[in-house]
Amino acid sequence: MTGDRPKATSYIDHLETLSKKQLMVMLARQHHERTQPVAVIGMGCRLPGGLDDPRALWSALREGRVLPTEAAGVPADSLGRPRWNLAAPDLAPLAGRLRQGAYLTDVDLFDADRFGIAHEEARHMDPQQRLLLEVAAEALADANLSRERLRGRDVGVYAVAGPVEYPHAWLRGGIPGDGLSAHMSTGSSPSAFSGRIALSLGLNGPAVTVDTASSSMLTAVHLAVRALRARECDVALVGTCNLLLSPFGTGILDRAGMLSPTGRSRPFTRHADGHVRGEGCGVVVLKRYADAVADGDRPYALVRGSAVHAQGDRPGISVASARGQKAVIERALQDADVAPEDVQYVEAQANGSRIGGQIEAETLADAYARRSPDATPLYIGSCKANLGYLETASGAPGLMKTVLALAHAEIPPQPGEEEADPDIPWERTALRLAAKPLPWPTHGRRRAAVSGFGFCGTLAHVVLESAPERPVAAGTARAAEDAGPWPLLLSAHSAEALAGTAARLHRHLRDRADWSPAAVCRTLAEGRDHHAVRYAAVVHDRSALLAALERASAADPGPGLDAPGAPAHLTGAARHARRYVAQEAPATAELWPPDGPRPELLHLPGPALVGRRHWPDHHNWI
């Protein structure tokens, strides 16, 4: 303390020299820094049902799709082998429950080469760590944050770690005497969830691992937003992953009476009888909104406020607290400076417990001032009805669903709405469930919130808002679109990955109308890292671009330059293409000068990954 006094005294002396107006300006700036909105500029996910990007997630939610978790069966690896041998004497009693779930397949696969990780090390990395790293790379690509665009910026990594179960099989069955590896330590450490991402993606900044159970993702968002506002980092990567590698966790939760006997999560319905376990991974990329605007990003939505709270004076560690739920909501609204009446949708924790859903609904009606049926409707929902309960990772799909709903100005339907729980006072409150895709019930700012409740008592709540529409100067965008032809630049760490990347882009673009060749080419040139295996084409319209992607997705697309003959009017674009395949960096400033018309950056699928099996035999449950 003694060493701090001169500095503190000097600061006070400085304040005394300021005028009242100067003090007011300084305080206003400080208030703005503490409360400025944070933009969600990128997302990535790997969710059950083959939902491998935000667009697939939104399509499934909007259609009201429900995974068949009642009889999913035991998940299989890339060789078609079941994850668990249910005929084993100690697993047979759990067989019925283990066949129910929302599982991912092929979790034994990992693209170690893409991240420069030795295969021996990759074999001993927890698959959750591996999956989180892959999805983090996809989220950065969705945000168009290449290493070049991140140069000189501090990037925070806030990763969520749940139970690490990868070593459980060999602890049960025994490991060969020579099977120990030095990589088992970092491979099984929760701290490596954040450290691995920072190292493998070359990110400089805070790297923190978080575990508050089901509220972990929202707690991590809360910490990341605070760090961005305090300028501890310029960009934040927030992600979570949950894999059910040990079968005994299911047995424990079943013994505790938490699992649904019917194998379905049915929140807010008369049939709610517990939850069904699920797996998945989700990552979001955050940036201060003012920086996102300056950088030309396309935010999905804004984080306006958040709070984390634990109500210590409750009967037991896993007992839900209505007072705690209300407190965390009120604190998040205060942090967001948003009135409760101005929020139109809440993605609830609601995991499938009937009594839990009733308590939460009552709390939402109180905290959001919807106790009267005459109040403005507050729509509530939970994507656990679609995807199952992802436990530690459950905050990711809930947050992404809400962000996408704000971006699309539409509330997706809630499965089971037609069988709403009669013990929730729908008629006496303004709480509602959406029966079908619903246009957002306001024409002003769209606002929503997300709840996450950890089973040990840590509650988190995040308040979101739609991103403002950014006006485009007259003629600017059109001029950029008409200035073709353009060089289409693709790269990857292997020929197989390059073909996969081209195929992903072709699938994404072929049925969409909301893109131009100029915007696609600029996004791929500026928003991607450029690897050694390259392909370049000269394109002049949409059909030419799609045709080039189709050729690049072939097993052997031929030479890296796709501009045969290059007539005179294509010379400029062809020159850039030739330089690119010769391993030069894209001349983006020459192609799209910063002071000239520039097409917007798009959200496009990231580079494809090529999974190889990294799974020692002693990790099999035989």
Side-chain angles (χ1 to χ4, degrees):
M1 292 293 292
T2 304
D4 293 336
R5 283 175 185 163
K7 187 180 292 184
T9 302
S10 174
Y11 179 65
I12 293 171
D13 289 342
H14 169 68
L15 292 179
E16 290 178 341
T17 67
L18 301 179
S19 68
K20 180 179 178 181
K21 183 176 181 180
Q22 289 172 321
L23 282 170
M24 291 176 64
V25 169
M26 185 185 74
L27 290 172
R29 286 175 177 168
Q30 290 178 348
H31 176 75
H32 171 74
E33 288 290 310
R34 289 196 305 268
T35 60
Q36 62 181 306
V38 169
V40 181
I41 62 169
M43 297 191 289
C45 62
R46 200 76 59 82
L47 298 172
L51 308 180
D52 288 350
D53 61 49
R55 291 153 287 275
L57 173 62
W58 177 248
S59 178
L61 294 171
R62 192 178 184 280
E63 295 168 7
R65 204 180 308 164
V66 177
L67 297 183
T69 56
E70 304 94 325
V74 175
D77 64 13
S78 61
L79 301 178
R81 300 190 302 184
R83 190 178 298 177
W84 312 295
N85 173 21
L86 299 188
D90 56 345
L91 301 189
L94 306 175
R97 284 285 177 269
L98 292 171
R99 292 190 181 98
Q100 298 173 337
Y103 298 119
L104 299 179
T105 58
D106 298 349
V107 299
D108 55 321
L109 300 181
F110 175 56
D111 193 342
D113 293 338
R114 161 65 178 82
F115 303 103
I117 297 174
H119 289 223
E120 173 63 18
E121 184 171 9
R123 292 173 75 240
H124 297 289
M125 287 170 60
D126 186 319
Q128 296 177 122
Q129 194 182 123
R130 305 188 314 213
L131 187 56
L132 195 55
L133 175 56
E134 291 186 334
V135 176
E138 293 173 4
L140 283 177
D142 187 57
N144 295 309
L145 288 176
S146 62
R147 291 201 181 200
E148 181 61 32
R149 295 190 83 207
L150 287 173
R151 191 181 304 279
R153 297 190 178 188
D154 287 331
V155 182
V157 178
Y158 297 83
V160 171
V164 175
E165 300 178 336
Y166 191 44
H168 286 191
W170 61 260
L171 289 173
R172 164 182 176 266
I175 186 172
D178 60 351
L180 294 176
S181 167
H183 299 301
M184 288 176 171
S185 178
T186 52
S188 297
S189 172
S191 63
F193 280 52
S194 55
R196 178 73 67 181
I197 292 172
L199 176 67
S200 297
L201 300 181
L203 307 177
N204 300 318
V208 179
T209 300
V210 177
D211 179 11
T212 60
S214 299
S215 59
S216 293
M217 182 68 176
L218 302 186
T219 299
V221 167
H222 173 78
L223 297 174
V225 168
R226 291 296 188 276
L228 286 163
R229 287 173 172 171
R231 297 190 176 272
E232 295 172 6
C233 57
D234 303 306
V235 176
L237 211 63
V238 186
T240 177
C241 184
N242 187 59
L243 294 178
L244 310 176
L245 302 182
S246 167
F248 294 120
T250 296
I252 292 167
L253 294 180
D254 190 36
R255 181 68 61 89
M258 296 181 179
L259 300 186
S260 163
T262 56
R264 277 276 303 279
S265 291
R266 294 181 173 90
F268 299 129
T269 74
R270 66 173 73 241
H271 301 298
D273 58 0
H275 75 262
V276 64
R277 305 189 78 195
E279 301 181 315
C281 180
V283 178
V284 299
V285 183
L286 307 178
K287 185 188 286 188
R288 290 181 291 271
Y289 176 60
D291 292 347
V293 171
D295 293 339
D297 298 321
R298 297 181 66 188
Y300 287 101
L302 307 180
V303 178
R304 292 312 309 249
S306 60
V308 174
H309 176 71
Q311 193 74 24
D313 55 348
R314 63 188 196 280
I317 192 166
S318 58
V319 174
S321 168
R323 284 192 299 140
Q325 292 177 23
K326 186 177 180 182
V328 78
I329 293 170
E330 291 173 344
R331 293 180 185 192
L333 288 169
Q334 182 179 18
D335 183 58
D337 194 21
V338 168
E341 300 88 349
D342 292 337
V343 174
Q344 296 93 28
Y345 176 79
V346 174
E347 176 72 5
Q349 162 68 19
N351 59 14
S353 158
R354 189 171 183 186
I355 184 64
Q358 293 167 4
I359 293 171
E360 187 173 8
E362 293 271 9
T363 303
L364 290 171
D366 277 341
Y368 279 98
R370 295 323 206 275
R371 270 296 173 192
S372 166
D374 298 325
T376 303
L378 177 68
Y379 288 87
I380 62 175
S382 172
C383 65
K384 299 174 182 71
N386 306 86
L387 305 175
Y389 182 24
L390 274 56
E391 298 173 355
T392 301
S394 61
L399 177 67
M400 294 173 69
K401 168 190 173 180
T402 311
V403 164
L404 290 165
L406 287 166
H408 289 275
E410 188 174 272
I411 296 173
Q414 179 63 27
E417 177 275 339
E418 70 282 359
E419 297 181 305
D421 186 349
D423 292 328
I424 293 175
W426 306 103
E427 295 80 9
R428 292 187 288 104
T429 68
L431 299 181
R432 301 290 183 268
L433 298 173
K436 57 184 179 181
L438 179 74
W440 203 271
T442 181
H443 297 294
R445 290 183 180 179
R446 303 183 293 278
R447 292 193 174 104
V450 190
S451 281
F453 304 157
F455 81 132
C456 291
T458 302
L459 314 173
H461 200 71
V462 174
V463 179
L464 302 162
E465 184 177 278
S466 56
E469 295 290 333
R470 289 192 291 123
V472 178
T476 299
R478 190 67 262 160
E481 305 302 309
D482 293 338
W486 310 271
L488 175 69
L489 311 178
L490 296 177
S491 77
H493 62 287
S494 70
E496 186 179 359
L498 179 65
T501 298
R504 289 186 73 184
L505 286 166
H506 187 269
R507 286 194 300 271
H508 175 77
L509 295 172
R510 66 187 176 191
D511 298 323
R512 303 172 67 94
D514 57 346
W515 60 275
S516 69
V520 170
C521 290
R522 183 191 169 207
T523 299
L524 296 176
E526 289 192 20
R528 297 292 182 270
D529 293 324
H530 298 286
H531 301 278
V533 180
R534 299 187 175 191
Y535 176 88
V538 176
V539 300
H540 56 278
D541 59 20
R542 290 167 60 99
S543 60
L545 188 145
L546 290 172
L549 288 175
E550 195 166 19
R551 289 192 296 273
S553 65
D556 183 11
L561 179 62
D562 189 357
H569 70 284
L570 298 185
T571 302
R575 184 177 69 253
H576 286 288
R578 290 192 191 98
R579 289 175 178 175
Y580 185 71
V581 296
Q583 302 299 310
E584 292 187 28
T588 54
E590 182 181 338
L591 285 163
W592 299 284
D595 57 350
R598 309 175 83 192
E600 64 179 343
L601 295 170
L602 305 177
H603 292 293
L604 295 177
L609 298 170
V610 180
R612 307 286 186 224
R613 182 173 169 80
H614 295 89
W615 195 278
D617 288 340
H618 52 260
H619 283 272
N620 292 331
W621 290 80
I622 57 176

